[in-house]
Amino acid sequence: MRGLLGLGVQQPTVFYNWNAMIASVGDMMFRYWNPHIERMPLTDLQKLQENRLRSVVRFVSAHSAFYRQRFAEAGVAPEDITKLSDVAKLPFTTKLDLRNTYPTGMFCLPGDWIVRYHVSSGTTGKPTVVGYTQGDIDMWTDSLARALTSIGLGRGDVIQVGYGYGLFTGGLGLHYGAEKIGATVLPMGTGNTERQIELMQDLGSTAIACTPSYFLYINEVAQQMGISIRDDTKLKVGVFGAEPWSEETRKRIEEATGIKAYDIFGTSEMSGPLFTECHLQNGIHVWADYFLIEVLDPKTGEQVGEGERGELVVTTLDKWAFPLIRYRIGDLTILNTEVCECGRTHPRIMRILGRTDDMLIIRGINVFPSQVESVLLRMPEIGEQYQIIVDRKGPLDVMTVKVEVTEKAFSDKISDLMSLSKRVAKELQKVLNVSAEVELVEQGTIPRSMGKAQRVIDKRKV
Ligand code: ADP
Ligand code: ZN
């Protein structure tokens, strides 16, 4: 391709996706950002991971007092890590370690290597700081270029970025990824919802990236403005993440707006948003040349069986300012190592149930907000907005699920509403194994969020 362009040895600055290539799998044609890597035979990919694992372990031992001490405590030396399965010999790293070394105690390169900081919101404790070299930013951008290409986005698309810009990684992450593939970026950030919709129309956004809860709100405001996203805009793709959401929400969004909704995952510690589903919408491809993932039993720290749910643990393989060894992200998921029908050999993680620290324990029973969401949205009378309020009455935990009902259901007779509320309670009890009080409210009652939705109010913690 370089020869064709007559540009000599240097890769051209990418104004559009020179790299996105078409390849065939069977009789299907697919687009890849980097087919060589994305379709690399599994044995080669594992070899690459093995080499990189050895490098990163040596690197952190040489550059980080924190990891040197951890390795010494675990009685493991860099030389002990020769094959991929040796990763299990390495000690875990946790969010607490990041907090204890605040702000930059776990960085492995001096400040003059760092080209950017991001800082987590710190809603669940002290904030954590992440730093990047230029190479780390390039790796992050490349991950998203592959991911967005796998969805089918590229040159000619207008991608509206409705994640927050600034210290949060969502906005800038998507921004760089979208520019890299040659799409046009509309850097909206969050909020200003009416303007989001006007510009979506005026500039012809074909894709939007934001939290799923914010997109639901955008759709609501569009309706109030008399605009149909399906008929009056060019939007065809949503890239939704940064918070747990369910298959039921995906269905609702797709049916209501006619777009295809894709799941995107990442955490600030790993860089930011990094991985998405491919166009087949069947699990999120994790770029294995950059990240080694394990799915472990949260209690024992042992690998779970194939198809079983466990905690996601990550080791970075090509990230140098702030590498992570066996970092316990805490998100619960299922690992799928089968080669995807799209031809990509990189493993997939299935829809994230939530983080272990988002889990509610109600009278001894574990409940994830995303499970509540799945139950609610299966009922057509129920709207998409809900809140879970947990309190204690005497010695007992009481969970109240406050949920909006559709306008039509709300205008029904009181007796119909009462029977609906009973049905919701019964379904919740059946699926979650714990009883909940149900409060049905009118549309527009529950506060909307522009970023990560706050679904749970746990009054027991106050
Ligand atoms: P913070 O730690 O301040 O919440 P992050 O942006 O790093 O900031 O949050 C990452 C977390 O967000 C993940 O660990 C996960 O719990 C959640 N998350 C991100 N994307 C998804 C997704 N697609 N599905 C479910 N949860 C997600
Ligand atoms: Zn795929």
Side-chain angles (χ1 to χ4, degrees):
M1 193 181 285
R2 286 174 199 156
L4 266 181
L5 295 165
L7 287 175
V9 282
Q10 226 185 348
Q11 178 101 359
T13 310
V14 179
F15 293 115
Y16 49 88
N17 49 342
W18 296 115
N19 273 337
M21 294 185 186
I22 312 256
S24 60
V25 177
D27 50 4
M28 307 263 277
M29 302 291 279
F30 292 133
R31 257 169 59 179
Y32 305 93
W33 179 253
N34 186 337
H36 169 68
I37 290 285
E38 290 170 55
R39 293 157 45 111
M40 185 176 264
L42 272 176
T43 44
D44 296 350
L45 192 55
Q46 281 159 2
K47 198 80 217 150
L48 181 65
Q49 286 193 304
E50 206 165 84
N51 288 335
R52 289 190 172 176
L53 177 66
R54 278 198 294 263
S55 303
V56 77
V57 168
R58 282 191 169 75
F59 178 80
V60 298
S61 304
H63 289 86
S64 154
F66 170 85
Y67 281 115
R68 262 198 305 277
Q69 191 189 338
R70 274 301 159 85
F71 290 180
E73 283 163 8
V76 58
E79 305 77 66
D80 300 333
I81 308 302
T82 56
K83 49 190 193 305
L84 212 45
S85 59
D86 289 336
V87 71
K89 296 179 182 165
L90 294 165
F92 293 117
T93 315
T94 64
K95 186 121 191 160
L96 190 65
D97 294 322
L98 265 58
R99 290 191 176 135
N100 290 342
T101 54
Y102 178 88
T104 57
M106 281 178 64
F107 284 20
C108 287
L109 287 170
D112 61 354
W113 281 81
I114 311 294
V115 299
R116 196 195 298 168
Y117 292 123
H118 280 285
V119 183
S120 82
S121 51
T123 36
T124 54
K126 206 165 175 178
T128 50
V129 179
V130 185
Y132 308 75
T133 64
Q134 184 55 54
D136 297 341
I137 298 272
D138 293 346
M139 181 279 287
W140 180 14
T141 304
D142 188 62
S143 294
L144 276 174
R146 292 182 200 172
L148 297 175
T149 304
S150 81
I151 286 176
L153 296 171
R155 192 180 170 208
D157 278 300
V158 179
I159 303 182
Q160 181 162 341
V161 178
Y163 283 115
Y165 278 73
L167 290 176
F168 178 59
T169 52
L172 282 170
L174 260 303
H175 185 108
Y176 275 55
E179 278 189 353
K180 186 78 179 176
I181 60 168
T184 311
V185 182
L186 181 55
M188 291 296 310
T190 55
N192 239 331
T193 308
E194 292 193 1
R195 194 153 166 72
Q196 298 255 8
I197 296 158
E198 278 161 22
L199 289 177
M200 181 186 288
Q201 281 195 303
D202 296 347
L203 298 174
S205 304
T206 56
I208 186 164
C210 61
T211 60
S213 54
Y214 187 40
F215 185 70
L216 286 168
Y217 181 56
I218 292 178
N219 185 40
E220 224 169 50
V221 175
Q223 282 168 350
Q224 285 157 11
M225 292 163 72
I227 292 165
S228 149
I229 288 192
R230 180 194 298 274
D231 301 326
D232 305 327
T233 75
K234 290 192 179 149
L235 204 69
K236 58 180 170 48
V237 164
V239 186
F240 300 130
E243 64 185 8
W245 58 306
S246 60
E247 276 310 304
E248 285 72 20
T249 300
R250 182 194 329 250
K251 257 185 238 137
R252 289 272 179 120
I253 289 177
E254 293 190 342
E255 279 166 21
T257 62
I259 70 167
K260 279 257 182 207
Y262 295 91
D263 203 0
I264 181 166
F265 177 78
T267 77
S268 53
E269 302 90 336
M270 295 165 83
S271 291
L274 287 157
F275 318 118
T276 66
E277 299 172 302
C278 64
H279 64 288
L280 298 171
Q281 291 180 312
N282 186 18
I284 295 172
H285 284 284
V286 174
W287 306 121
D289 52 326
Y290 291 150
F291 296 89
L292 174 62
I293 52 166
E294 301 168 84
V295 173
L296 307 179
D297 181 325
K299 289 206 188 83
T300 64
E302 299 292 320
Q303 200 173 330
V304 297
E306 182 76 28
E308 273 176 50
R309 187 174 273 139
E311 179 186 348
L312 190 61
V313 173
V314 66
T315 299
T316 61
L317 298 177
D318 195 3
K319 184 170 170 300
W320 303 102
F322 182 57
L324 289 168
I325 302 290
R326 297 194 97 197
Y327 180 67
R328 299 185 74 144
I329 297 178
D331 286 306
L332 295 180
T333 186
I334 297 168
L335 182 64
N336 181 348
T337 53
E338 271 170 43
V339 174
C340 182
E341 279 174 55
C342 71
R344 290 177 182 81
T345 48
H346 296 241
R348 282 169 285 167
I349 49 173
M350 308 315 279
R351 193 178 280 285
I352 307 275
L353 183 65
R355 247 197 265 196
T356 39
D357 47 4
D358 294 334
M359 185 180 78
L360 294 164
I361 303 178
I362 314 286
R363 297 196 289 277
I365 299 201
N366 300 344
V367 176
F368 282 91
S370 60
Q371 292 174 303
V372 174
E373 177 176 308
S374 290
V375 174
L376 295 175
L377 297 202
R378 267 179 236 151
M379 303 187 179
E381 302 93 334
I382 299 294
E384 291 85 21
Q385 300 294 338
Y386 65 95
Q387 238 172 14
I388 302 166
I389 300 140
V390 191
D391 206 349
R392 191 163 275 151
K393 277 192 191 151
L396 272 193
D397 299 321
V398 180
M399 174 166 81
T400 306
V401 176
K402 189 168 167 181
V403 63
E404 291 183 3
V405 294
T406 59
E407 256 168 54
K408 150 105 194 32
F410 203 77
S411 59
D412 288 346
K413 293 198 299 284
I414 293 285
S415 57
D416 291 344
L417 276 179
M418 276 167 64
S419 89
L420 174 61
S421 141
K422 275 196 197 129
R423 256 195 303 135
V424 175
K426 206 166 143 196
E427 278 303 303
L428 287 170
Q429 163 84 46
K430 201 163 81 190
V431 177
L432 308 176
N433 246 325
V434 64
S435 64
E437 288 176 8
V438 174
E439 191 183 327
L440 302 180
V441 295
E442 201 176 348
Q443 285 226 311
T445 317
I446 292 172
R448 271 48 176 164
S449 88
M450 317 261 170
K452 293 175 189 255
Q454 205 205 346
R455 301 294 193 193
V456 177
I457 301 172
D458 197 337
K459 294 184 176 166
R460 297 173 303 184
K461 289 183 179 160
V462 180

